[in-house]
Amino acid sequence: MTTTTGPKGLTRRQLLSRATSAGASFVVGAGFLAAPDGAWAMETSELQPETFATLVQMARDIYPHDKVGDAFYVIAVKGYDSAEAAQAVEDGIAALNAAAAGKGYASYLDIGWERDRVDILRGMENSAFFQQVRGGLVTGLYNQKAVWPIFGYEGSSYEFGGYIDRGFNDINWL
C-alpha cells in the first residue's frame, strides 16, 4: 500500500489524528464535522455542521445512555440532513440556541451541565420540532441492531421458538 502525502507533507490519517488529539472540533471543506473526542465524523449536505452537532447533543440529552456512543446518535439523526427537513431543523436549533442565550449561554452546545440543557429542552418539549426529533429518535436510535447488545436485547425470538424457550426467565435485573 502506498501512502500519499499532501502539500504540507501530512497524510490524511496524520491530519485527522493530530486535529482530533488536540481536542478541537473542526470543519474541513464544506460540511465535514468531526467530534472533539474523535468518536464520530459526519459530512453534512444540507445542515450547517454546528446545527448537526447541536442536533446530536440534543438527541443525547433526550435519550441519555452513558454506554451508547455518539456514533449511534449520529446515525439516528442523520436523516434530518435532507433538503426536506433542513429548514425546520435549522429553525428548531435556532430556537434552542435562543433559549440557551436567554439563560446566559452563547449556544446550546456551550452549556456544560446536562441538567441545564435538559431544563432548556423541557421548556420547548411541546414544540413541533422537539416532538419530531423525539419521535424520530425512538426508532432511529433503538432500531439499530448494533445498539441492542449494549442494552442486553438479543433480538427477536420468534425464529427460535419464542421467548418461552429463549429468554423468558432471564430477568436478572428485576
Side-chain angles (χ1 to χ4, degrees):
M1 180 171 106
T2 61
T3 312
T4 60
T5 59
K8 300 290 184 189
L10 292 175
T11 65
R12 188 172 77 165
R13 182 180 300 268
Q14 290 170 330
L15 173 68
L16 291 174
S17 174
R18 290 180 185 177
T20 57
S21 67
S25 292
F26 64 93
V27 178
V28 178
F32 180 80
L33 176 71
D37 59 3
W40 61 271
M42 171 77 182
E43 191 167 335
T44 60
S45 60
E46 300 295 328
L47 294 175
Q48 296 296 318
E50 297 80 16
T51 300
F52 192 81
T54 304
L55 187 61
V56 171
Q57 184 62 59
M58 179 184 177
R60 184 168 266 300
D61 291 337
I62 292 173
Y63 291 110
H65 298 288
D66 292 336
K67 294 181 180 181
V68 177
D70 284 344
F72 295 111
Y73 289 95
V74 169
I75 292 168
V77 298
K78 74 178 178 182
Y80 294 107
D81 186 30
S82 67
E84 299 81 31
Q87 190 58 51
V89 172
E90 292 285 352
D91 293 345
I93 296 299
L96 190 63
N97 285 332
K103 300 270 186 179
Y105 298 99
S107 71
Y108 184 77
L109 283 178
D110 290 329
I111 303 173
W113 292 98
E114 180 181 355
R115 92 173 150 251
D116 294 337
R117 290 190 308 266
V118 169
D119 286 344
I120 290 174
L121 288 175
R122 283 195 177 125
M124 64 181 306
E125 68 185 346
N126 292 326
S127 71
F129 170 68
F130 180 90
Q131 292 301 322
Q132 178 186 12
V133 172
R134 185 197 58 80
L137 283 171
V138 171
T139 55
L141 182 62
Y142 298 115
N143 278 358
Q144 297 179 50
K145 289 187 179 185
V147 173
W148 295 352
I150 296 171
F151 296 120
Y153 178 60
E154 298 173 351
S156 173
S157 288
Y158 177 78
E159 303 84 21
F160 304 104
Y163 286 106
I164 297 295
D165 296 325
R166 185 175 180 260
F168 180 70
N169 279 337
D170 291 350
I171 303 177
N172 57 6
W173 51 268
L174 188 60

